[in-house]
Amino acid sequence: MDMKRTEKKNNENNISYLTRSIKLGFRVAFVALCVWFVSKIGVSVVSVVGIYIIVHSVLKIIRLSIHVVFYLLFILFLVAIVMGIIVFIL
């Protein structure tokens, strides 16, 4: 019985490792493709890194603002539920 559990656990770990390896391989290939493309265009690396930082920062700010809006809506929803319970009790 223990052998089957360990074998199942090992298979799950191998599958997890395989997916991580595939993702890492795709990332490395994407970075290599981007480096090759930038070198063919002739754009400076500093400008590419700057554009990447700007785009990354803007996306993080957008994501943060969406989270803030959803948290405010959630708090408003909770307040409405509490108010409904209080009105129902009184």
Side-chain angles (χ1 to χ4, degrees):
M1 189 76 173
D2 267 342
M3 292 273 298
K4 289 183 180 180
R5 285 185 191 165
T6 349
E7 185 177 322
K8 185 177 179 181
K9 198 174 207 176
N10 287 340
N11 286 340
E12 289 173 359
N13 288 341
N14 287 340
I15 289 172
S16 174
Y17 177 74
L18 180 65
T19 56
R20 282 186 274 152
S21 299
I22 291 172
K23 286 180 183 178
L24 180 64
F26 279 133
R27 287 181 183 160
V28 169
F30 180 71
V31 168
L33 184 67
C34 288
V35 167
W36 174 80
F37 186 69
V38 166
S39 68
K40 287 293 180 185
I41 291 178
V43 179
S44 71
V45 176
V46 175
S47 62
V48 172
V49 170
I51 291 171
Y52 170 77
I53 289 172
I54 290 171
V55 169
H56 189 68
S57 299
V58 166
L59 290 177
K60 284 217 177 231
I61 290 170
I62 291 171
R63 183 185 304 162
L64 177 65
S65 61
I66 290 172
H67 281 284
V68 168
V69 167
F70 278 122
Y71 284 137
L72 290 174
L73 287 174
F74 179 70
I75 290 171
L76 186 66
F77 181 70
L78 285 178
V79 168
I81 289 176
V82 169
M83 292 300 289
I85 291 173
I86 290 175
V87 167
F88 183 73
I89 289 174
L90 298 176

